[in-house]
Amino acid sequence: LWLGGGEPTLRDDLLALVRAARELGYAPITLQTNGMRLAYADYRAAVVRAGVTEIRFNVKSHRAEVHDRLSGGERCHALLLEALEGLAGTGVRIAADILLTRATGPDLPETVSFFASRGVESFTLWLLSAADAAGEQSDEHMAVAAEVPRIADLVPPLTAARAEARRLGVELASLHTPPCTLPPELRDLFAPTAALSLVVVGPDRRPFALETSPFEGGAYLEGCSGCAQRSRCGGPRADYVRLHGRGEFVPLGLPSLAP
């Protein structure tokens, strides 16, 4: 069971949900959170006692000013660090979901090193999406779109981050960088969303497979059907193609697509 959001620690019934899930036999039980409420010792201990077995922290950057700006509040970074420190020795597995933006991408190797030294065992990279921003001409959409990095620009920090992860003995995977956009030596970083085998149930109670969400891909291009990675790749996201074009998506074993 994966409890995410939004921010699940805002729910007053979160602990009851975790206890009920444990009684129903769910295992593992994962909590995906910004970590701020887990800075408070009593609440943190209650979450562990209720039965959460893995906590995945939403991480923007090892730099406090960047993390706080992208999180939308002061002391977000400081509270996250307090939560990590307090979880040491509890037996809960600690993971981090790192948001890749133009601001955070270049710092990726340092971010991996910083949080690995604070108990994070596994890192998953999530590319910023502009799909949920307001209308394309709105200030909100323009601001979000301006922060969506080109995958090609992420290759150097991805290379360095993978080397750092191997040195430190931690896991590193990337969800939204199709293999065709990466050099051969980085293609093993790609983790298809479908491999998570998650069925998402939102407030409207309508279940759907995570990989069918527009946030995860699905905008297959001509030539994708013949790509050697087609069976495991969800394709590019429509919002990414609108922003950066098709030129980076070169089906493996086929000629390049026109930009």
Side-chain angles (χ1 to χ4, degrees):
L1 178 67
W2 182 317
L3 297 165
E7 177 49 49
T9 63
L10 293 177
R11 292 184 64 115
D12 292 335
D13 61 350
L14 176 63
L15 300 179
L17 289 172
V18 173
R19 287 191 290 266
R22 186 177 62 183
E23 292 171 2
L24 289 169
Y26 281 93
I29 299 175
T30 296
L31 176 65
Q32 186 182 40
T33 173
N34 61 31
M36 295 172 66
R37 195 172 180 188
L38 294 176
Y40 299 92
D42 289 347
Y43 184 78
R44 182 173 63 243
V47 166
V48 174
R49 284 196 306 270
V52 168
T53 60
E54 178 187 60
I55 296 177
R56 303 181 65 98
F57 288 98
N58 296 321
V59 169
K60 277 73 174 182
S61 174
H62 70 292
R63 291 188 287 159
E65 66 275 14
V66 175
H67 183 94
D68 288 354
R69 176 173 62 82
L70 293 175
S71 299
E74 297 180 359
R75 298 200 71 241
C76 298
H77 187 268
L79 291 170
L80 168 58
L81 296 188
E82 290 179 30
L84 282 168
E85 182 178 359
L87 286 166
T90 61
V92 175
R93 186 174 189 270
I94 306 299
D97 294 311
I98 300 179
L99 182 67
L100 293 176
T101 71
R102 287 189 185 273
T104 66
D107 289 341
L108 182 58
E110 292 81 6
T111 299
V112 168
S113 178
F114 180 90
F115 283 100
S117 70
R118 287 160 174 80
V120 175
E121 306 170 44
S122 177
F123 296 85
T124 302
L125 310 179
W126 301 66
L127 188 69
L128 177 66
S129 171
D132 65 341
E136 291 195 10
Q137 301 306 313
S138 70
D139 291 343
E140 177 191 348
H141 182 273
M142 297 293 285
V144 174
E147 276 291 329
V148 178
R150 288 179 60 88
I151 296 173
D153 295 334
L154 294 173
V155 168
L158 280 172
T159 301
R162 201 263 295 274
E164 188 67 4
R166 286 179 170 174
R167 183 183 73 82
L168 296 169
V170 296
E171 300 173 8
L172 180 66
S174 179
L175 294 179
H176 306 120
T177 51
C180 68
T181 65
L182 300 173
E185 64 272 18
L186 288 183
R187 287 175 187 160
D188 62 332
L189 279 180
F190 174 68
T193 306
L196 295 173
S197 300
L198 288 178
V199 175
V200 180
V201 182
D204 61 3
R205 301 184 180 184
R206 297 179 182 179
F208 62 91
L210 176 62
E211 61 269 23
T212 65
S213 165
F215 292 104
E216 307 305 329
Y220 291 109
L221 305 173
E222 56 184 272
C224 284
S225 60
C227 178
Q229 293 288 326
R230 175 62 178 83
S231 63
R232 63 189 297 266
C233 177
R237 296 187 308 212
D239 66 288
Y240 185 93
V241 175
R242 286 195 299 271
L243 287 172
H244 296 307
R246 306 188 302 165
E248 292 177 276
F249 301 94
V250 183
L252 300 179
L254 295 176
S256 173
L257 295 177

